[in-house]
Amino acid sequence: MTEWQAISLFITFEGIDGCGKSTQAGLLSEYLSRQYGSEKVLWTREPGGWPGSSCLREMLLSGELDHPWTEVFLFLADRCEHAKKIIEPTLLTGAHVLCERYDDSTLAYQVWGRGLDLGKVESAISLCGHRSPDKTILLEVSMETALKRASARSRPDRYEKEGKPFLERVREGYRFLQSREKDRFIVIDGESSPEVVFKRIFDSLEEFF
Ligand code: TMP
């Protein structure tokens, strides 16, 4: 049994809107399902990764919230339930969990994007006490690529509507977070075709396969 099969990994996918994380999480999920069986991998996302959470996702993406701390509390409430109901029990079964967005999104978007205090948001996150990811794939794309991809979606969400300056700040936030935890973050150039980007991700995780 390889190391990858023996341990379950919690891998998160991060990056600005339009970075391609859903495509890449999907490709990795497909690969792992083929390789080890579909029961050995869970592909999920935030916000809205647990049954009954679609109303929270809708509220968070609708753009109707005015107070920036409302967002933080709702994203964290969503994560507490997601971690407790889905992520942690799945990891205990020995399956790998691939999750689009997690604590790093709250830091990059609510601290750098919205301008909330880093220490305060980190304290709120640590109050929740959920498990940290083992590895985080940070997909880096140019602002032009990100906005082009994001605007091609059926429904632009509130962040996509905020446009370039907001996403520039979020990107800066991700760079800071990555520089602080180089062992956890894997930075991937997300500019090429999905297949080429997936190969980069695959190569970077090879030691676990
Ligand atoms: P997505 O599912 O298409 O990535 O959209 C989710 C949006 O929510 C995206 O713009 C990032 C944002 N977000 C935050 O601002 N904070 C968070 O903690 C999370 C999980 C997402």
Side-chain angles (χ1 to χ4, degrees):
M1 188 178 267
T2 65
E3 188 188 0
W4 173 261
Q5 288 167 286
I7 55 161
S8 57
L9 282 187
F10 178 25
I11 301 177
T12 54
F13 287 75
E14 294 280 357
I16 58 173
D17 297 72
C19 67
K21 65 188 164 28
S22 301
T23 305
Q24 294 305 322
L27 288 171
L28 186 57
S29 167
E30 254 174 49
Y31 171 81
L32 293 174
S33 300
R34 269 200 317 274
Q35 209 58 14
Y36 304 114
S38 57
E39 72 287 358
K40 285 288 182 194
V41 56
L42 175 82
W43 170 22
T44 184
R45 70 168 181 188
E46 290 191 0
W50 50 280
S53 59
S54 53
C55 57
L56 261 182
R57 182 175 171 89
E58 188 50 41
M59 201 182 294
L60 280 161
L61 302 189
S62 67
E64 302 298 322
L65 302 172
D66 291 333
H67 197 297
W69 280 96
T70 311
E71 275 190 338
V72 173
F73 294 134
L74 289 183
F75 278 121
L76 290 182
D78 175 68
R79 186 161 310 134
C80 284
E81 288 302 306
H82 191 209
K84 189 85 183 160
K85 284 185 164 64
I86 309 287
I87 297 173
E88 288 163 6
T90 303
L91 289 167
L92 284 176
T93 70
H96 308 295
V97 173
L98 313 179
C99 182
E100 294 175 42
R101 302 200 177 282
Y102 202 65
D103 289 336
D104 298 305
S105 282
T106 310
L107 294 170
Y109 280 80
Q110 275 61 59
V111 174
W112 274 265
R114 289 270 176 259
L116 293 180
D117 180 78
L118 175 61
K120 287 180 183 163
V121 177
E122 282 179 323
S123 299
I125 289 174
S126 80
L127 269 181
C128 302
H130 41 249
R131 178 182 164 153
S132 297
D134 299 304
K135 288 286 167 197
T136 295
I137 307 287
L138 176 59
L139 285 158
E140 281 257 298
V141 291
S142 70
M143 210 44 82
E144 288 64 36
T145 302
L147 290 173
K148 201 161 74 194
R149 286 183 190 165
S151 62
R153 291 181 192 167
S154 52
R155 190 198 70 171
D157 65 36
R158 65 185 307 188
Y159 302 98
E160 288 149 15
K161 282 184 224 150
E162 311 257 4
K164 213 168 159 177
F166 181 87
L167 290 177
E168 288 276 16
R169 293 199 301 278
V170 170
R171 193 152 72 151
E172 223 179 277
Y174 276 124
R175 286 186 179 146
F176 172 85
L177 297 170
Q178 182 272 328
S179 71
R180 223 174 42 162
E181 274 185 88
K182 289 200 168 119
D183 282 351
R184 174 165 66 87
F185 276 93
I186 299 171
V187 183
I188 298 287
D189 173 0
E191 280 292 332
S192 315
S193 68
E195 296 70 28
V196 171
V197 176
F198 180 63
K199 173 84 171 66
R200 291 178 188 142
I201 293 175
F202 185 86
D203 289 347
S204 72
L205 291 171
E206 204 173 7
E207 61 182 296
F208 300 108
F209 293 126

Coordinates of all heavy atoms in Angstrom, one line a residue, residues 93-175:
T93 N -13.1 8.0 7.7 CA -13.3 6.7 7.0 C -12.1 6.3 6.1 O -12.0 5.3 5.5 CB -14.5 6.8 6.0 OG1 -14.1 7.7 4.9 CG2 -15.8 7.3 6.6
G94 N -11.1 7.2 6.1 CA -9.9 6.9 5.3 C -9.9 7.5 3.9 O -9.0 7.3 3.1
A95 N -11.0 8.2 3.5 CA -11.1 8.8 2.2 C -10.4 10.2 2.2 O -10.3 10.8 3.2 CB -12.6 9.0 1.8
H96 N -10.1 10.6 1.0 CA -9.4 11.9 0.8 C -10.5 12.9 0.6 O -11.5 12.6 -0.1 CB -8.5 11.9 -0.4 CG -7.5 10.8 -0.3 ND1 -6.6 10.7 0.6 CD2 -7.4 9.7 -1.1 CE1 -5.9 9.6 0.5 NE2 -6.3 8.9 -0.6
V97 N -10.3 14.1 1.1 CA -11.3 15.2 0.9 C -10.7 16.3 0.1 O -9.6 16.8 0.4 CB -11.8 15.7 2.2 CG1 -12.7 17.0 2.0 CG2 -12.6 14.7 3.0
L98 N -11.3 16.7 -1.1 CA -10.9 17.8 -1.9 C -12.0 18.9 -1.7 O -13.1 18.7 -2.1 CB -10.9 17.4 -3.4 CG -10.2 16.0 -3.7 CD1 -10.2 15.8 -5.2 CD2 -8.7 16.0 -3.2
C99 N -11.5 20.0 -1.2 CA -12.5 21.0 -0.9 C -12.1 22.4 -1.6 O -11.0 22.9 -1.4 CB -12.6 21.2 0.6 SG -13.8 22.5 1.2
E100 N -13.1 22.9 -2.3 CA -12.9 24.2 -2.9 C -13.2 25.2 -1.9 O -14.3 25.3 -1.4 CB -13.9 24.4 -4.1 CG -13.6 23.5 -5.3 CD -14.7 23.6 -6.3 OE1 -15.1 24.8 -6.6 OE2 -15.2 22.6 -6.8
R101 N -12.2 26.0 -1.5 CA -12.3 27.1 -0.6 C -12.4 26.6 0.9 O -13.1 25.6 1.1 CB -13.4 28.1 -0.9 CG -13.3 28.7 -2.3 CD -14.1 30.0 -2.4 NE -13.9 30.6 -3.7 CZ -12.8 31.3 -4.1 NH1 -11.8 31.4 -3.2 NH2 -12.8 31.8 -5.3
Y102 N -11.8 27.3 1.8 CA -11.8 27.0 3.2 C -11.3 28.3 3.9 O -11.5 29.4 3.4 CB -10.9 25.8 3.4 CG -11.2 25.0 4.7 CD1 -12.4 24.3 4.9 CD2 -10.2 24.9 5.7 CE1 -12.6 23.6 6.0 CE2 -10.5 24.2 6.9 CZ -11.7 23.5 7.0 OH -11.9 22.8 8.1
D103 N -10.6 28.1 5.1 CA -10.2 29.2 5.9 C -9.4 30.3 5.1 O -9.5 31.5 5.3 CB -9.3 28.8 7.0 CG -10.1 28.1 8.1 OD1 -11.3 28.3 8.2 OD2 -9.5 27.3 8.8
D104 N -8.6 29.8 4.1 CA -7.8 30.8 3.4 C -8.6 31.8 2.6 O -8.3 32.9 2.4 CB -6.8 30.1 2.5 CG -5.8 29.3 3.2 OD1 -5.1 29.8 4.1 OD2 -5.7 28.1 3.0
S105 N -9.8 31.3 2.1 CA -10.7 32.2 1.4 C -11.2 33.3 2.4 O -11.3 34.4 2.0 CB -11.9 31.4 0.9 OG -11.6 30.7 -0.3
T106 N -11.6 32.9 3.6 CA -12.1 33.9 4.6 C -11.0 34.9 4.9 O -11.3 36.1 5.0 CB -12.5 33.2 5.9 OG1 -13.4 32.1 5.5 CG2 -13.2 34.1 6.8
L107 N -9.8 34.5 5.0 CA -8.7 35.4 5.2 C -8.4 36.3 4.0 O -8.4 37.6 4.1 CB -7.4 34.7 5.6 CG -7.5 34.0 7.0 CD1 -6.3 33.1 7.2 CD2 -7.7 35.0 8.1
A108 N -8.3 35.7 2.8 CA -8.0 36.5 1.6 C -9.1 37.5 1.3 O -8.9 38.6 1.0 CB -7.7 35.6 0.5
Y109 N -10.4 37.0 1.3 CA -11.5 37.8 0.9 C -12.0 38.8 1.9 O -12.3 39.9 1.6 CB -12.7 36.9 0.4 CG -12.5 36.4 -1.0 CD1 -11.7 35.2 -1.2 CD2 -13.2 37.0 -2.1 CE1 -11.6 34.7 -2.5 CE2 -13.0 36.4 -3.4 CZ -12.2 35.3 -3.6 OH -12.1 34.8 -4.8
Q110 N -12.1 38.3 3.2 CA -12.7 39.2 4.2 C -11.6 40.1 4.8 O -11.9 41.3 5.1 CB -13.4 38.4 5.3 CG -14.8 38.0 5.0 CD -15.0 37.1 3.7 OE1 -14.5 36.0 3.7 NE2 -15.7 37.6 2.7
V111 N -10.4 39.7 4.9 CA -9.3 40.6 5.4 C -8.8 41.5 4.3 O -8.9 42.7 4.4 CB -8.2 39.8 6.1 CG1 -7.0 40.7 6.5 CG2 -8.7 39.0 7.3
W112 N -8.2 40.9 3.2 CA -7.6 41.7 2.2 C -8.7 42.4 1.3 O -8.6 43.5 1.0 CB -6.7 40.9 1.3 CG -5.3 40.9 1.9 CD1 -4.2 41.7 1.6 CD2 -4.8 40.0 3.0 NE1 -3.2 41.4 2.4 CE2 -3.5 40.3 3.3 CE3 -5.4 39.0 3.7 CZ2 -2.7 39.7 4.2 CZ3 -4.6 38.3 4.7 CH2 -3.3 38.7 4.9
G113 N -9.7 41.6 1.0 CA -10.8 42.1 0.1 C -11.6 43.2 0.8 O -11.8 44.3 0.3
R114 N -12.2 42.8 2.0 CA -13.1 43.7 2.7 C -12.4 44.7 3.7 O -13.0 45.6 4.2 CB -14.1 42.9 3.5 CG -15.1 42.2 2.7 CD -16.3 43.1 2.4 NE -17.2 42.4 1.5 CZ -17.3 42.7 0.3 NH1 -16.6 43.6 -0.3 NH2 -18.1 42.0 -0.5
G115 N -11.2 44.4 4.1 CA -10.4 45.3 4.9 C -10.6 45.0 6.4 O -10.3 45.8 7.3
L116 N -11.1 43.8 6.8 CA -11.2 43.5 8.2 C -9.8 43.2 8.8 O -8.9 42.9 8.1 CB -12.1 42.3 8.4 CG -13.6 42.5 8.1 CD1 -14.4 41.3 8.3 CD2 -14.2 43.7 8.9
D117 N -9.7 43.2 10.1 CA -8.5 43.0 10.8 C -8.0 41.5 10.8 O -8.8 40.7 11.2 CB -8.6 43.5 12.3 CG -7.4 43.3 13.1 OD1 -6.5 44.2 12.9 OD2 -7.3 42.3 13.8
L118 N -6.8 41.3 10.4 CA -6.3 39.9 10.2 C -6.4 39.2 11.5 O -6.9 38.0 11.6 CB -4.9 39.9 9.7 CG -4.1 38.6 9.6 CD1 -4.9 37.6 8.6 CD2 -2.7 38.8 9.1
G119 N -5.9 39.8 12.6 CA -5.9 39.1 13.9 C -7.3 38.7 14.4 O -7.5 37.6 14.9
K120 N -8.2 39.6 14.2 CA -9.6 39.4 14.6 C -10.2 38.2 13.8 O -10.9 37.4 14.4 CB -10.4 40.6 14.6 CG -10.1 41.6 15.6 CD -10.9 42.9 15.5 CE -10.5 43.9 16.5 NZ -11.0 45.2 16.2
V121 N -10.0 38.2 12.5 CA -10.6 37.2 11.7 C -9.9 35.8 12.1 O -10.6 34.8 12.2 CB -10.5 37.5 10.2 CG1 -11.1 36.3 9.4 CG2 -11.3 38.8 9.9
E122 N -8.6 35.9 12.3 CA -7.9 34.6 12.7 C -8.5 34.1 14.0 O -8.6 32.9 14.2 CB -6.4 34.8 12.7 CG -5.8 34.8 11.4 CD -4.3 35.1 11.4 OE1 -3.8 35.9 12.2 OE2 -3.6 34.5 10.6
S123 N -8.7 35.0 14.9 CA -9.3 34.6 16.2 C -10.6 33.9 16.0 O -11.0 32.9 16.7 CB -9.5 35.7 17.2 OG -8.2 36.3 17.4
A124 N -11.5 34.5 15.2 CA -12.8 34.0 14.9 C -12.7 32.6 14.3 O -13.4 31.6 14.7 CB -13.6 34.9 14.0
I125 N -11.7 32.4 13.4 CA -11.5 31.1 12.8 C -11.1 30.1 13.8 O -11.6 29.0 13.9 CB -10.5 31.2 11.6 CG1 -11.1 31.9 10.4 CG2 -10.0 29.8 11.2 CD1 -10.1 32.2 9.3
S126 N -10.1 30.5 14.7 CA -9.6 29.5 15.6 C -10.7 29.2 16.7 O -10.6 28.1 17.2 CB -8.3 30.0 16.3 OG -8.5 30.9 17.3
L127 N -11.6 30.1 17.0 CA -12.7 29.7 17.9 C -13.5 28.5 17.4 O -14.0 27.7 18.2 CB -13.7 30.9 18.0 CG -13.5 31.9 19.0 CD1 -14.7 33.0 18.9 CD2 -13.6 31.3 20.4
C128 N -13.6 28.4 16.1 CA -14.4 27.3 15.5 C -13.7 25.9 15.7 O -14.4 24.9 15.8 CB -14.6 27.5 14.0 SG -15.4 29.0 13.6
G129 N -12.4 25.9 15.7 CA -11.6 24.7 16.1 C -11.7 23.6 15.0 O -11.4 22.4 15.3
H130 N -11.9 23.9 13.7 CA -12.0 22.8 12.8 C -10.6 22.5 12.3 O -9.6 23.3 12.4 CB -12.9 23.1 11.6 CG -12.9 24.5 11.1 ND1 -13.9 25.4 11.3 CD2 -11.9 25.2 10.5 CE1 -13.6 26.6 10.8 NE2 -12.4 26.5 10.3
R131 N -10.4 21.4 11.7 CA -9.2 20.9 11.2 C -8.6 21.7 10.1 O -9.3 22.2 9.2 CB -9.4 19.4 10.7 CG -8.2 18.8 10.2 CD -8.5 17.4 9.7 NE -7.4 17.0 8.8 CZ -7.0 15.7 8.7 NH1 -7.6 14.8 9.2 NH2 -6.0 15.5 7.9
S132 N -7.3 21.9 10.0 CA -6.6 22.6 8.9 C -6.3 21.6 7.8 O -6.2 20.4 8.0 CB -5.3 23.2 9.4 OG -5.5 24.1 10.4
P133 N -6.2 22.2 6.6 CA -5.9 21.3 5.4 C -4.5 20.8 5.5 O -3.6 21.4 6.1 CB -6.1 22.2 4.2 CG -6.6 23.5 4.7 CD -6.4 23.6 6.2
D134 N -4.3 19.6 4.9 CA -2.9 19.1 4.8 C -2.1 19.8 3.7 O -1.0 20.1 3.9 CB -2.9 17.6 4.5 CG -3.6 16.8 5.6 OD1 -3.2 17.0 6.8 OD2 -4.6 16.1 5.3
K135 N -2.8 20.0 2.6 CA -2.2 20.7 1.5 C -3.2 21.7 0.9 O -4.4 21.4 0.8 CB -1.7 19.7 0.4 CG -0.5 18.9 0.8 CD 0.7 19.7 0.7 CE 1.9 18.9 1.4 NZ 3.0 19.8 1.7
T136 N -2.7 22.8 0.3 CA -3.6 23.8 -0.3 C -3.0 24.1 -1.7 O -1.9 24.5 -1.8 CB -3.7 25.0 0.6 OG1 -4.4 24.7 1.8 CG2 -4.5 26.1 -0.1
I137 N -3.8 23.8 -2.7 CA -3.4 24.2 -4.1 C -3.9 25.6 -4.3 O -5.1 25.9 -4.3 CB -4.1 23.2 -5.1 CG1 -3.9 21.7 -4.8 CG2 -3.7 23.6 -6.5 CD1 -2.5 21.2 -5.0
L138 N -2.9 26.5 -4.5 CA -3.3 27.9 -4.9 C -3.1 28.1 -6.3 O -1.9 28.0 -6.9 CB -2.4 28.8 -4.0 CG -2.5 30.3 -4.3 CD1 -4.0 30.8 -4.1 CD2 -1.6 31.1 -3.5
L139 N -4.2 28.3 -7.0 CA -4.1 28.5 -8.5 C -3.9 30.0 -8.8 O -4.7 30.8 -8.5 CB -5.4 28.0 -9.1 CG -5.5 26.4 -9.2 CD1 -6.9 26.0 -9.3 CD2 -4.6 25.9 -10.3
E140 N -2.8 30.3 -9.5 CA -2.5 31.6 -9.9 C -2.8 31.9 -11.3 O -2.3 31.2 -12.2 CB -1.0 31.9 -9.6 CG -0.6 32.1 -8.2 CD -0.3 33.5 -7.9 OE1 0.6 34.1 -8.5 OE2 -1.1 34.1 -7.1
V141 N -3.7 32.9 -11.6 CA -3.9 33.3 -13.0 C -3.9 34.8 -13.1 O -4.0 35.5 -12.0 CB -5.3 32.8 -13.5 CG1 -5.4 31.3 -13.6 CG2 -6.4 33.3 -12.6
S142 N -3.7 35.3 -14.3 CA -3.7 36.8 -14.4 C -5.1 37.3 -14.2 O -6.1 36.6 -14.3 CB -3.3 37.2 -15.8 OG -4.3 36.8 -16.7
M143 N -5.2 38.6 -13.8 CA -6.5 39.2 -13.6 C -7.4 39.1 -14.8 O -8.6 38.9 -14.7 CB -6.2 40.7 -13.2 CG -7.2 41.2 -12.3 SD -7.6 40.2 -10.9 CE -6.3 40.5 -9.9
E144 N -6.8 39.3 -16.0 CA -7.5 39.2 -17.2 C -8.2 37.8 -17.4 O -9.4 37.7 -17.7 CB -6.6 39.5 -18.4 CG -6.2 41.0 -18.5 CD -5.3 41.4 -17.4 OE1 -4.5 40.6 -16.9 OE2 -5.4 42.6 -16.9
T145 N -7.4 36.8 -17.2 CA -7.9 35.4 -17.4 C -9.0 35.2 -16.4 O -10.1 34.7 -16.7 CB -6.8 34.4 -17.1 OG1 -5.7 34.7 -18.1 CG2 -7.3 33.0 -17.3
A146 N -8.8 35.6 -15.1 CA -9.8 35.4 -14.0 C -11.1 36.1 -14.4 O -12.2 35.4 -14.3 CB -9.2 35.9 -12.7
L147 N -11.0 37.3 -14.8 CA -12.3 38.0 -15.0 C -13.0 37.5 -16.3 O -14.2 37.5 -16.3 CB -12.0 39.5 -15.1 CG -11.6 40.2 -13.8 CD1 -11.1 41.7 -14.0 CD2 -12.7 40.2 -12.8
K148 N -12.2 37.1 -17.3 CA -12.8 36.5 -18.5 C -13.5 35.2 -18.1 O -14.7 35.0 -18.5 CB -11.7 36.2 -19.5 CG -12.2 36.1 -20.9 CD -11.2 36.3 -21.9 CE -10.3 35.1 -22.0 NZ -9.0 35.2 -22.7
R149 N -12.9 34.4 -17.3 CA -13.5 33.1 -17.0 C -14.7 33.3 -16.1 O -15.8 32.7 -16.3 CB -12.5 32.2 -16.2 CG -11.5 31.6 -17.1 CD -10.6 30.7 -16.2 NE -9.4 30.2 -16.9 CZ -8.4 29.7 -16.3 NH1 -8.4 29.6 -15.0 NH2 -7.3 29.3 -17.0
A150 N -14.6 34.2 -15.1 CA -15.7 34.5 -14.2 C -16.9 35.1 -14.9 O -18.0 34.7 -14.6 CB -15.2 35.4 -13.0
S151 N -16.6 36.0 -15.8 CA -17.8 36.6 -16.5 C -18.5 35.7 -17.5 O -19.6 36.0 -17.9 CB -17.4 38.0 -17.1 OG -16.4 37.7 -18.1
A152 N -17.8 34.6 -17.8 CA -18.5 33.7 -18.8 C -19.5 32.8 -18.0 O -20.2 32.0 -18.6 CB -17.4 32.8 -19.4
R153 N -19.5 32.9 -16.7 CA -20.4 32.1 -15.9 C -21.9 32.6 -16.0 O -22.1 33.7 -16.4 CB -20.1 32.1 -14.4 CG -18.8 31.3 -14.2 CD -18.5 31.4 -12.7 NE -17.2 30.9 -12.4 CZ -16.6 31.1 -11.3 NH1 -17.2 31.7 -10.3 NH2 -15.4 30.7 -11.1
S154 N -22.8 31.7 -15.7 CA -24.2 32.1 -15.9 C -24.7 33.2 -15.0 O -25.4 34.1 -15.4 CB -25.1 30.8 -15.7 OG -24.8 30.3 -14.5
R155 N -24.2 33.2 -13.7 CA -24.6 34.2 -12.8 C -23.4 34.8 -12.1 O -22.8 34.2 -11.3 CB -25.5 33.6 -11.8 CG -26.3 34.6 -10.9 CD -26.8 34.0 -9.6 NE -25.7 33.6 -8.7 CZ -25.8 33.3 -7.5 NH1 -27.0 33.1 -7.0 NH2 -24.8 33.0 -6.7
P156 N -23.1 36.1 -12.4 CA -22.0 36.7 -11.7 C -22.3 36.9 -10.3 O -23.4 37.3 -10.0 CB -21.8 38.0 -12.5 CG -23.0 38.3 -13.2 CD -23.7 37.0 -13.4
D157 N -21.4 36.5 -9.3 CA -21.7 36.7 -7.9 C -21.2 38.0 -7.5 O -20.6 38.8 -8.2 CB -21.3 35.5 -7.1 CG -19.7 35.4 -7.1 OD1 -19.1 36.4 -7.1 OD2 -19.3 34.2 -7.0
R158 N -21.4 38.3 -6.2 CA -21.1 39.6 -5.7 C -19.6 40.0 -5.9 O -19.3 41.2 -6.1 CB -21.5 39.8 -4.2 CG -20.7 38.9 -3.3 CD -21.2 39.0 -1.9 NE -21.3 40.3 -1.4 CZ -21.6 40.7 -0.2 NH1 -21.8 39.7 0.7 NH2 -21.7 41.9 0.2
Y159 N -18.7 39.0 -5.8 CA -17.3 39.3 -5.9 C -16.9 39.6 -7.3 O -16.1 40.5 -7.6 CB -16.4 38.2 -5.3 CG -16.8 38.0 -3.9 CD1 -17.7 37.0 -3.5 CD2 -16.3 38.9 -2.9 CE1 -18.1 36.8 -2.2 CE2 -16.7 38.7 -1.6 CZ -17.6 37.7 -1.2 OH -18.0 37.5 0.1
E160 N -17.5 38.8 -8.2 CA -17.3 39.1 -9.6 C -17.7 40.5 -10.0 O -17.1 41.2 -10.8 CB -17.9 38.0 -10.5 CG -17.2 36.7 -10.3 CD -18.1 35.5 -10.5 OE1 -19.2 35.6 -10.9 OE2 -17.6 34.4 -10.1
K161 N -18.8 40.9 -9.3 CA -19.4 42.3 -9.6 C -18.4 43.3 -9.0 O -18.4 44.5 -9.5 CB -20.7 42.4 -9.0 CG -21.8 41.8 -9.8 CD -23.2 42.1 -9.1 CE -24.0 40.8 -9.1 NZ -24.9 40.7 -8.0
E162 N -17.6 43.0 -8.0 CA -16.7 44.0 -7.4 C -15.6 44.3 -8.3 O -15.0 45.4 -8.2 CB -16.1 43.5 -6.1 CG -17.1 42.9 -5.1 CD -17.4 43.8 -4.0 OE1 -16.9 45.0 -4.0 OE2 -18.1 43.4 -3.1
G163 N -15.2 43.4 -9.2 CA -14.2 43.7 -10.2 C -12.8 43.6 -9.7 O -12.4 43.1 -8.7
K164 N -12.0 44.3 -10.6 CA -10.5 44.1 -10.5 C -9.8 44.6 -9.2 O -9.1 43.8 -8.6 CB -9.9 44.9 -11.7 CG -8.7 44.2 -12.2 CD -8.3 44.9 -13.5 CE -6.8 44.6 -13.8 NZ -6.4 45.1 -15.1
P165 N -10.1 45.8 -8.7 CA -9.4 46.2 -7.5 C -9.6 45.2 -6.3 O -8.7 44.9 -5.5 CB -9.9 47.6 -7.2 CG -10.6 48.0 -8.4 CD -11.0 46.8 -9.1
F166 N -10.8 44.8 -6.1 CA -11.1 43.9 -5.0 C -10.3 42.6 -5.2 O -9.7 42.1 -4.3 CB -12.6 43.6 -5.0 CG -13.1 42.6 -4.0 CD1 -13.4 43.1 -2.7 CD2 -13.2 41.3 -4.2 CE1 -13.9 42.3 -1.7 CE2 -13.6 40.4 -3.2 CZ -14.0 40.9 -1.9
L167 N -10.4 42.0 -6.4 CA -9.7 40.7 -6.7 C -8.2 40.9 -6.6 O -7.5 40.0 -6.2 CB -10.1 40.1 -8.0 CG -11.6 39.6 -8.0 CD1 -12.0 39.1 -9.4 CD2 -11.8 38.5 -7.0
E168 N -7.7 42.1 -7.0 CA -6.2 42.3 -6.8 C -5.8 42.2 -5.4 O -4.8 41.6 -5.0 CB -5.9 43.7 -7.3 CG -5.9 44.0 -8.8 CD -4.6 43.6 -9.5 OE1 -3.8 42.8 -8.9 OE2 -4.5 43.9 -10.7
R169 N -6.6 42.8 -4.5 CA -6.3 42.8 -3.0 C -6.4 41.3 -2.5 O -5.6 40.9 -1.7 CB -7.3 43.7 -2.2 CG -7.1 45.1 -2.5 CD -7.7 46.0 -1.4 NE -9.2 45.7 -1.2 CZ -10.1 46.3 -1.9 NH1 -9.9 47.1 -2.9 NH2 -11.4 46.0 -1.7
V170 N -7.4 40.6 -3.0 CA -7.6 39.2 -2.6 C -6.3 38.4 -3.0 O -5.8 37.6 -2.2 CB -8.9 38.6 -3.2 CG1 -8.9 37.1 -2.9 CG2 -10.1 39.3 -2.6
R171 N -5.9 38.7 -4.2 CA -4.7 37.9 -4.7 C -3.5 38.3 -3.9 O -2.7 37.4 -3.5 CB -4.5 38.3 -6.2 CG -3.5 37.3 -6.8 CD -3.7 37.2 -8.2 NE -3.2 38.4 -8.9 CZ -2.8 38.4 -10.1 NH1 -2.7 37.3 -10.8 NH2 -2.4 39.5 -10.7
E172 N -3.3 39.5 -3.5 CA -2.2 39.9 -2.6 C -2.3 39.1 -1.3 O -1.3 38.7 -0.7 CB -2.4 41.4 -2.3 CG -1.1 42.2 -2.3 CD -1.5 43.6 -2.0 OE1 -1.9 44.3 -3.0 OE2 -1.4 44.0 -0.8
G173 N -3.6 39.0 -0.8 CA -3.8 38.3 0.5 C -3.3 36.8 0.4 O -2.6 36.3 1.2
Y174 N -3.7 36.2 -0.7 CA -3.3 34.8 -1.0 C -1.7 34.7 -1.0 O -1.2 33.8 -0.5 CB -3.8 34.2 -2.3 CG -5.2 33.7 -2.1 CD1 -6.3 34.2 -3.0 CD2 -5.5 32.7 -1.2 CE1 -7.5 33.7 -2.9 CE2 -6.8 32.2 -1.1 CZ -7.8 32.6 -2.0 OH -9.1 32.1 -1.9
R175 N -1.1 35.7 -1.6 CA 0.4 35.6 -1.7 C 1.0 35.7 -0.3 O 1.9 35.0 0.0 CB 0.9 36.8 -2.6 CG 0.6 36.4 -4.0 CD 1.2 37.5 -4.9 NE 1.0 37.1 -6.3 CZ 0.8 37.9 -7.3 NH1 0.8 39.2 -7.1 NH2 0.6 37.5 -8.5

